[in-house]
């Protein structure tokens, strides 16, 4: 389906030049057979694009002008994924005006009109069948995320007030979505070091005219650097759980855990915690045997004391 979509997009891009193309010429440009070209033209028409065709000698294909916004070129699965993505984003946050989640809520209600006609009824059925619970998370300004993206692309410094207290001037490098929070990884010019900022705590964001040369990231990726900061005061814990990886992922869905499928229904878990109680709380709901392969002595002692306390209570 990806190849078909790419072909149709290439056909649409060619026709949007505004000129007429003979069938043989158009097929040669796109590297397809005349039969495939006719099928792709029919697909474009199915998406709602007015492709005019003149058969016979001197015939041509041409995209006729129209006043309506052309529909998105999405296949069925892509349209469903778009709606579900908007619904998921709309359910995360507090719907503050101008926030990403509030914008997703508005887009979710109007995206149908930009879908091909044949998909609109499926979108309507999906919307009617779907309910989402709300996840409590800070709302982040859609405008700020777009402004930061522009600054990153144009390699321009930005200034902003952070947490309502300090003014910052930074070289923005990456935006990261992690555990329902948006972050900015940037080089802080005032502190001459890398810093991670919560995007929802940024206010008064402005792009400056001062450019910068991109620096090598301080870790393998922005996500890696963010995790290093979040886990700085936490202890590494490794365990093997006698349960399939999907069951373990569900039990640890509120933890930032690295999971590896070991086969035979076993899963290796690597995570960082600031208290051993968090580990037991998650594993209690899993109902599976496990071995603690790596943990600080204090964590082992706490788990052992709690286990003895449980035995005495029975």
């Amino acid at each position: 389906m990806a190849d078909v979509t790419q072909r149709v997009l290439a056909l649409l891009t060619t026709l949007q030049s505004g000129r007429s193309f003979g069938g043989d010429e158009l097929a040669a440009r796109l590297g397809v057979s005349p039969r495939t070209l006719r099928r792709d033209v029919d697909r474009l028409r199915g998406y709602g694009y007015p492709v005019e065709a003149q058969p016979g000698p001197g015939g041509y294909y041409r995209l006729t002008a129209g006043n309506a916004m052309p529909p998105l070129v999405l296949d069925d699965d892509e349209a469903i994924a778009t709606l579900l993505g908007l619904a998921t984003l709309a359910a995360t946050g507090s719907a503050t005006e101008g926030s990403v989640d509030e914008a997703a809520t508005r887009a979710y209600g109007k995206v149908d009109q930009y879908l091909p006609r044949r998909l609109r009824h499926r979108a309507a059925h999906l919307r009617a069948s779907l309910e989402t619970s709300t996840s409590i998370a800070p709302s982040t300004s859609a405008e700020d995320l777009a402004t930061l993206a522009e600054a990153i692309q144009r390699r321009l410094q930005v200034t902003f007030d952070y947490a309502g207290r300090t003014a910052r001037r930074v070289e923005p490098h990456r935006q990261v979505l992690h555990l329902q929070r948006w972050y900015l990884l940037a080089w802080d010019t005032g502190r001459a070091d890398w810093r991670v900022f919560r995007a929802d705590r940024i206010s008064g964001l402005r792009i400056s005219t001062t450019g910068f040369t991109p620096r090598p990231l301080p870790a393998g990726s922005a996500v890696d650097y963010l995790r290093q900061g979040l886990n700085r005061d936490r202890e590494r814990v490794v365990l093997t759980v006698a349960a399939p990886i999907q069951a373990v992922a569900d039990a640890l869905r509120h933890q930032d855990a690295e999971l590896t499928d070991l086969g035979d229904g076993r899963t290796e878990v690597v995570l960082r915690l600031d208290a051993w109680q968090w580990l037991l709380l998650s594993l209690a709901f899993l109902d599976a045997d496990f071995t603690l392969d790596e943990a600080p002595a204090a964590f082992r002692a706490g788990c052992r004391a709690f286990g003895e306390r449980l035995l005495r209570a029975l």
Side-chain angles (χ1 to χ4, degrees), residues 19-42:
R19 56 164 289 201
S20 301
F21 294 90
D24 291 341
E25 177 191 2
L26 192 54
R29 278 175 172 265
L30 299 172
V32 299
S33 67
R35 182 179 179 182
T36 298
L37 175 61
R38 289 192 293 271
R39 286 202 302 264
D40 288 346
V41 167
D42 288 339

Side-chain angles (χ1 to χ4, degrees), residues 209-258:
T209 57
T210 305
F212 65 88
T213 301
R215 304 170 186 268
L217 295 180
S221 68
V223 173
D224 290 340
Y225 186 75
L226 173 62
R227 280 176 165 154
Q228 289 173 16
L230 294 176
N231 294 329
R232 184 175 293 118
D233 298 323
R234 298 175 181 176
E235 301 285 356
R236 174 182 164 93
V237 176
V238 181
L239 59 152
T240 300
V241 182
I245 190 170
Q246 189 56 54
V248 176
D250 187 54
L252 298 176
R253 60 188 178 276
H254 299 303
Q255 300 289 348
D256 184 17
E258 300 175 22

Side-chain angles (χ1 to χ4, degrees), residues 4-28:
V4 173
T5 303
Q6 291 172 4
R7 279 205 327 265
V8 172
L9 285 173
L11 172 60
L12 177 60
T13 299
T14 303
L15 291 176
Q16 283 180 328
S17 65
R19 56 164 289 201
S20 301
F21 294 90
D24 291 341
E25 177 191 2
L26 192 54

Side-chain angles (χ1 to χ4, degrees), residues 4 13 40 52 62 92 116 122 126 132 154 164 169 188 193 204 207 212 220 224 248 264 276 283 309 313:
V4 173
T13 299
D40 288 346
E52 179 183 354
R62 181 174 62 195
T92 304
R122 296 201 71 188
L126 179 63
T132 57
R154 296 175 59 192
R169 177 179 288 271
D188 191 318
D193 199 1
I207 296 182
F212 65 88
D224 290 340
V248 176
D264 299 325
W276 59 266
L283 292 175
R309 189 176 302 118

Side-chain angles (χ1 to χ4, degrees), residues 274-288:
D274 52 13
W276 59 266
Q277 290 91 339
W278 289 112
L279 178 63
L280 296 187
L281 181 63
S282 299
L283 292 175
F285 290 100
L286 189 57
D287 191 26

Side-chain angles (χ1 to χ4, degrees), residues 29-255:
R29 278 175 172 265
L30 299 172
V32 299
S33 67
R35 182 179 179 182
T36 298
L37 175 61
R38 289 192 293 271
R39 286 202 302 264
D40 288 346
V41 167
D42 288 339
R43 287 189 177 95
L44 271 186
R45 289 170 176 158
Y47 295 146
Y49 287 87
V51 180
E52 179 183 354
Q54 178 65 45
Y60 59 83
Y61 290 101
R62 181 174 62 195
L63 187 65
T64 61
N67 296 322
M69 175 71 73
L72 297 173
V73 182
L74 299 176
D75 63 33
D76 295 40
D77 291 344
E78 291 167 346
I80 292 171
T82 298
L83 281 168
L84 293 178
L86 288 171
T88 301
L89 193 55
T92 304
S94 55
T96 303
E97 184 176 356
S99 65
V100 173
D101 48 296
E102 189 265 341
T105 300
R106 289 186 281 108
Y108 179 70
K110 64 175 66 170
V111 71
D112 299 31
Q113 60 188 299
Y114 301 114
L115 295 176
R117 187 176 295 106
R118 64 184 181 83
L119 294 180
R120 292 174 189 171
H121 73 283
R122 296 201 71 188
H125 293 166
L126 179 63
R127 180 180 289 103
S129 70
L130 186 65
E131 290 187 15
T132 57
S133 62
T134 300
S135 299
I136 303 301
S139 290
T140 302
S141 166
E143 178 65 24
D144 282 356
L145 294 181
T147 299
L148 289 171
E150 179 184 355
I152 292 170
Q153 179 64 30
R154 296 175 59 192
R155 300 175 182 176
L156 294 175
Q157 292 182 3
V158 298
T159 60
F160 53 81
D161 296 325
Y162 191 61
R165 296 191 301 272
T166 58
R168 300 292 183 96
R169 177 179 288 271
V170 306
E171 300 172 357
H173 282 261
R174 293 287 190 279
Q175 298 189 84
V176 179
L177 177 61
H178 181 65
L179 298 179
Q180 299 184 1
R181 303 291 190 276
W182 286 96
Y183 297 89
L184 169 68
L185 171 62
W187 177 266
D188 191 318
T189 61
R191 291 158 177 78
D193 199 1
W194 290 98
R195 290 290 189 272
V196 174
F197 302 95
R198 280 265 298 269
D200 59 284
R201 296 176 180 172
I202 289 175
S203 60
L205 177 64
R206 299 173 299 280
I207 296 182
S208 76
T209 57
T210 305
F212 65 88
T213 301
R215 304 170 186 268
L217 295 180
S221 68
V223 173
D224 290 340
Y225 186 75
L226 173 62
R227 280 176 165 154
Q228 289 173 16
L230 294 176
N231 294 329
R232 184 175 293 118
D233 298 323
R234 298 175 181 176
E235 301 285 356
R236 174 182 164 93
V237 176
V238 181
L239 59 152
T240 300
V241 182
I245 190 170
Q246 189 56 54
V248 176
D250 187 54
L252 298 176
R253 60 188 178 276
H254 299 303
Q255 300 289 348

